[in-house]
Amino acid sequence: MANKIPRVPVREQDPKVRATNFEEVCYGYNVEEATLEASRCLNCKNPRCVAACPVNIRIPDFIHQVVEGNFAAAAAVISEDSSLPSVCGRVCPQESQCEGSCVLGVKGEPVAIGKLERFVGDWKIENADKMPAPDIKRNGHKVAVIGSGPSGLACASDLARMGYEVKIFEALHKVGGVLVYGIPEFRLPKEKIVAREVEAVKKLGVEIETDVIVGRTVTIDELMNEEGYEAVFIGSGAGLPRFMGIPGENLNGVVSANEFLTRTNLMKAYDTHYDTPIYVGQRVVVVGGGNVAMDAVRTAKRLGAEATIVYRRSEKELPARVEEVHHAKEEGIEFRMLTNPTSIIGDEKGWVVGISCVEMELGEPDESGRRSPIEKAGSDFEIPCDVVIMALGTSPNPLLKMTTEGLETNRKGCLVADEKGATTREGIFAGGDAVTGAATVILAMGAGRKAAKSIDEYIRQKKH
């Protein structure tokens, strides 16, 4: 019986060793491990895992191909719905999506769907040269894509397959968006995975121009009116950090997680061959409880600091993935739960020397169903530190709205788009974090693919 086999554990770097390097924590499955794990799948008639996947990958079908040893066929099944399997297999919150709905998980351990997806994605990257090149007939229509993160890459590759001439405009000097600047090397290797996923998109004929800030270097209107793009997809993400608005936030040594991770990941501050300035001091406090907070605190630890998470709710409410929290604890990260900063303390030269906090307790659930934290009177205390990293979420850059007439945003600064990705301005579509605010890679990718379909429909209707 398939479900009598225990879940195949995944090999990982030893916590003591990995807390000092930036190599990938998790090694993934080899062929034998993947085949054995895949054989646990019950091939349900009504697979709940598919319904729980944001892009509805046909999970039992690809897993069945892995059991049979047909890895090319498995890759083909996944690629019908997902353009970044090696990325999603590593960074998706599977425990609350596909694996969280797996029937085997009711009484035992769910199938390791994420690790199997990663295995297939990596196999596809390794064997890319042997795959037949897609036969694409160009249709003579041009589409511009803003941003080369997951939503932009997914939208561009789908449009290119349909025959469109697609050009991606990227503001930074490296392609990949949040995959490159946000997610650390130890969770998602840049050269091994991201760069090669980008190569696959270029092979479809997509052109990518870096160092172009749309809204500054060129406007959307210029792209459409002067450069002949019939539609534009905005996948520019959410890179504007949020702060708490407490005293002392402008002291030297207070940074956003965004800036801290960008310096480390994109500008390789962790590599001694690079001169990227980064200041971690001896003790770092990271405020927040999401995946970005975990990425920042684990990065600070690897850069040599004592690193602590401060979060105002309890561990049960942590929004970060269970695996990330587990890895952080193994690496010696301290967690201060039910703790809320009230101010940041500086010395006479304007440098951070500590953070003042109060203890919290959980009250009644609010409208989101999460229990609201309430301050405990007289519980003030201080944590000495040299650096405070704010990981409180991000919102989209307002530049595109400011430079494009008729583009509406909501009160959070996110672009308003319908379920098909159409914005309030004809011919302009949007998806990913620019629309939802900071969310997951797979949701951004799904939005990019939906928008590609809508753009195709829009341009076809215009022709008639």
Side-chain angles (χ1 to χ4, degrees):
M1 274 295 289
N3 55 359
K4 290 287 177 270
I5 304 167
R7 179 165 161 136
V8 179
V10 67
R11 290 163 291 116
E12 291 178 345
Q13 260 200 84
D14 177 287
K16 284 194 181 61
V17 178
R18 70 174 190 243
T20 62
N21 69 43
F22 277 81
E23 285 152 39
E24 193 166 14
V25 166
C26 175
Y27 292 130
Y29 285 152
N30 60 26
V31 172
E32 291 75 24
E33 291 164 336
T35 312
L36 182 61
E37 181 58 34
S39 73
R40 295 178 63 232
C41 176
L42 301 176
N43 220 338
C44 305
K45 287 270 183 295
N46 186 7
R48 287 162 34 179
C49 55
V50 176
C53 169
V55 295
N56 309 118
I57 292 170
R58 298 196 341 260
I59 293 165
D61 296 358
F62 101 72
I63 291 180
H64 174 67
Q65 297 296 349
V66 174
V67 177
E68 300 290 316
N70 300 333
F71 305 136
V77 172
I78 295 175
S79 70
E80 286 171 24
D81 300 294
S82 166
S83 25
L84 300 166
S86 285
V87 174
C88 293
R90 282 170 170 81
V91 303
C92 256
Q94 286 98 5
E95 67 280 351
S96 59
Q97 295 174 354
C98 53
E99 292 179 24
S101 298
C102 175
V103 172
L104 283 182
V106 177
K107 287 190 177 154
E109 290 267 38
V111 175
I113 300 167
K115 301 286 183 267
L116 290 171
E117 180 185 25
R118 166 186 166 150
F119 170 80
V120 173
D122 288 7
W123 182 90
K124 186 180 172 189
I125 285 178
E126 289 304 323
N127 294 276
D129 305 343
K130 299 175 198 152
M131 301 294 212
D135 180 28
I136 297 170
K137 304 236 177 332
R138 293 273 165 243
N139 62 17
H141 296 274
K142 281 169 67 171
V143 179
V145 171
I146 301 170
S148 66
S151 68
L153 290 173
C155 183
S157 51
D158 279 16
L159 287 168
R161 283 195 181 91
M162 294 175 199
Y164 289 91
E165 187 185 318
V166 185
K167 186 165 184 181
I168 296 178
F169 297 93
E170 169 53 54
L172 295 169
H173 61 283
K174 272 257 174 78
V175 182
V178 74
L179 305 176
V180 171
Y181 70 76
I183 302 171
E185 186 73 14
F186 55 82
R187 276 218 292 147
L188 184 63
K190 307 294 168 254
E191 294 304 321
K192 184 179 137 195
I193 302 301
V194 182
R196 290 161 83 174
E197 293 277 33
V198 169
E199 276 313 305
V201 176
K202 286 184 178 167
K203 265 194 179 151
L204 299 169
V206 173
E207 205 185 322
I208 304 179
E209 195 177 332
T210 53
D211 298 310
V212 178
I213 300 175
V214 178
R216 186 75 33 88
T217 322
V218 61
T219 63
I220 289 182
D221 288 303
E222 285 165 359
L223 289 175
M224 296 180 89
N225 301 336
E226 294 164 29
E227 300 198 20
Y229 290 100
E230 293 168 64
V232 173
F233 174 74
I234 300 172
S236 51
L240 188 69
R242 290 202 192 112
F243 287 89
M244 287 183 76
I246 56 175
E249 269 186 323
N250 53 0
L251 287 163
N252 296 320
V254 182
V255 288
S256 68
N258 239 37
E259 179 185 341
F260 181 70
L261 289 168
T262 301
R263 280 175 185 268
T264 319
N265 300 333
L266 185 73
M267 300 167 163
K268 297 195 168 46
Y270 62 85
D271 188 329
T272 47
H273 297 95
Y274 290 80
D275 297 338
T276 307
I278 192 151
Y279 175 62
V280 286
Q282 313 280 297
R283 290 166 300 198
V284 171
V285 169
V286 177
V287 182
N291 288 326
V292 175
M294 296 307 137
D295 286 347
V297 80
R298 294 173 68 201
T299 296
K301 174 84 182 178
R302 283 162 170 74
L303 292 170
E306 277 177 39
T308 303
I309 281 275
V310 165
Y311 181 60
R312 65 192 186 132
R313 290 184 162 96
S314 73
E315 185 165 338
K316 210 170 112 238
E317 284 83 22
L318 274 176
R321 290 186 63 191
V322 177
E323 184 179 42
E324 298 307 309
V325 176
H326 168 68
H327 281 156
K329 285 185 168 170
E330 283 188 329
E331 288 161 15
I333 305 292
E334 192 187 343
F335 282 76
R336 303 285 290 259
M337 295 293 158
L338 292 165
T339 299
N340 204 31
T342 49
S343 69
I344 299 164
I345 312 154
D347 63 13
E348 61 286 353
K349 292 191 177 139
W351 286 88
V352 172
V353 292
I355 185 164
S356 292
C357 303
V358 286
E359 288 176 29
M360 310 293 276
E361 51 196 351
L362 290 179
E364 294 305 307
D366 59 15
E367 59 271 24
S368 72
R370 286 164 89 193
R371 292 172 62 194
S372 305
I374 307 159
E375 279 188 23
K376 271 193 204 171
S379 66
D380 301 75
F381 67 100
E382 288 177 13
I383 304 173
C385 61
D386 320 290
V387 169
V388 175
I389 299 174
M390 293 291 182
L392 307 164
T394 51
S395 51
N397 186 328
L399 182 64
L400 288 171
K401 178 197 189 304
M402 282 156 41
T403 55
T404 316
E405 253 179 71
L407 257 196
E408 269 177 41
T409 53
N410 64 17
R411 59 182 183 79
K412 287 189 169 165
C414 300
L415 292 170
V416 175
D418 65 15
E419 66 286 348
K420 288 180 151 188
T423 66
T424 50
R425 178 109 178 241
E426 194 193 328
I428 301 179
F429 297 77
D433 291 5
V435 172
T436 57
T440 59
V441 168
I442 192 145
L443 286 168
M445 189 189 73
R449 301 199 73 169
K450 268 200 191 101
K453 282 198 182 84
S454 307
I455 288 169
D456 180 48
E457 281 167 22
Y458 166 73
I459 289 176
R460 282 168 187 278
Q461 279 163 1
K462 252 181 38 174
K463 282 197 301 197
H464 297 307

